[in-house]
Amino acid sequence: MIPVEDGTYNKMNLPQKFTLRMREMLPEAEVMAFVEALQKDPSVSVRVNPGKPYLETGGLAPVAWCPSAFYVDHRPAFILDPLFHAGAYYVQEASSMFVGQALKMVGEVNVALDLCAAPGGKSTLIRSLLPDRALLVSNDPVTQRAQVLAENMIKWGHEGYVVTSNYPKDFGALGAVFDLVVVDAPCSGEGMFRKDNPALELWSEENVVMCAKRQRQILNDVWPSLKEGGYMIYSTCTYNTMENEENVRYICDSLGAEVVEIPVADSWHIAGNMMKGENFPVYRFFPHLTRGEGFFLALLRKTATTASVRMKDKLTLRPLPQEWRERMDDNAMGILEKDAVSYAVRNNDAPVLGCLMKKLRLLTFAIPLYEVKGRKQVPHQALAMSRRCLKEGFPVVSLSLEEALDYLRCMAIKIDAPRGYVLVTYKGAPLGFANNLGNRANNMYPQQWRIRYN
């Protein structure tokens, strides 16, 4: 254990060099409060999906900087709540929701990129706050993580998104496509010590230096994809200035940007710049000051001259078939076929989507509407998850909690409904489809999404 000056001990066994760094950063009067805060259990918070108003939030304490988010008193088994699987809410760390305040300062956004997006907390938040017509590209270079991201974006149910699995340099090669780029950079994870023990065990000064170097490479690689005058949100879940303020200074001096101030309320107790000799505005969350984990954020506007990109690869969409048009509440869409799946794509997204499809690896996008299997057009799980799916387009079956959990485990269920494809719901929230054959019903919930917890 590492002693602190008043004679108490650090029960977490924080690395001594980390503790010394924090003593240099924080006022002496706050050091003990910071260490004590790390001994407590982390807070738990959820954010409601505005497109799926099914969750009851009465009596829950709000997250001050995110009107759609609330703290819960303990961590329940979210995996056993069908509304969680329906995309009615997302379990997200409260401090990281401050991204929403940064978005308020950003100008017009038509196309945005969340570069390091898995598992999807920030992407689902960004998608909820962007203009409805905007397109969000959510990316993670690791395929397995990107697949989790795709699942969460499909469940969130907004059609204006694309999920990709590419490296930052691949986006830089596109040219200036994006009005907004969000870089929640891979970091040393100091702000997550009480939630993520491996981050604590792996911490070293050498790792901090390595992370800072990697972050600058990521920033260099993706910077050409941001339009002149466009905005970058740069964030980490760590405390040291090397990965935070020093990287913000690097972006300004070496890449060409200015830091933008974000109005905050004093009652939020958000700290500011910790880099000696600098006073540009940045936003820091410490667990002894705010109800949340460690987090850093800066908002920057690109001042470097960048040539605009002309979209040359517009997709050709064919009209929505009448059968499927009657099952959706947005007909400003067309059909695009890819790998036996027919996607309902918004007409205004076609130019950007064509550019992305030509140069990037896309996992999913828009609304995967149906899959062709032989002569059948089988409704896709994403349609059930979409906010555009009309319940009157299918027979609807409402399940009890026990039945819904069986369905989410991909078990057989008994339903009373007409033959054919039916929409399965819980408390009004769609969960997916089943194919009612009369004497039995085939569960169509994706096997890769099934609950494996009893």
Side-chain angles (χ1 to χ4, degrees), residues 338-411:
K338 184 176 183 291
D339 301 328
V341 176
S342 292
Y343 295 79
V345 177
R346 300 186 301 186
N347 295 326
N348 62 298
D349 290 336
V352 178
L353 192 57
C355 173
L356 299 178
M357 290 186 74
K358 186 175 181 179
K359 299 182 180 180
L360 300 177
R361 182 185 175 215
L362 275 60
L363 271 63
T364 189
F365 54 90
I367 307 174
L369 194 58
Y370 59 85
E371 186 174 2
V372 177
K373 294 184 177 180
R375 297 182 179 181
K376 294 182 179 180
Q377 294 179 343
V378 180
H380 197 284
Q381 173 68 21
L383 174 59
M385 298 287 92
S386 173
R387 63 175 189 160
R388 297 301 182 192
C389 181
L390 289 174
K391 290 182 182 178
E392 53 266 37
F394 297 90
V396 175
V397 173
S398 180
L399 302 184
S400 66
L401 174 59
E402 184 178 353
E403 292 169 334
L405 291 175
D406 283 346
Y407 175 79
L408 294 169
R409 294 186 178 106
C410 290
M411 296 170 62

Side-chain angles (χ1 to χ4, degrees), residues 147-209:
Q147 288 170 344
V148 175
L149 171 64
E151 176 183 341
N152 285 324
M153 292 304 292
I154 288 172
K155 288 179 176 178
W156 204 245
H158 196 292
E159 66 280 3
Y161 80 101
V162 179
V163 175
T164 60
S165 186
N166 288 86
Y167 292 101
K169 63 181 180 181
D170 297 325
F171 292 96
L174 294 175
V177 172
F178 301 105
D179 306 292
L180 168 69
V181 173
V182 179
V183 180
D184 186 40
C187 67
S188 58
E190 297 166 348
M192 304 300 287
F193 277 177
R194 65 178 179 178
K195 288 189 70 174
D196 185 1
N197 196 54
L200 175 60
E201 294 175 349
L202 293 173
W203 188 91
S204 68
E205 289 189 314
E206 292 77 16
N207 189 45
V208 169
V209 173

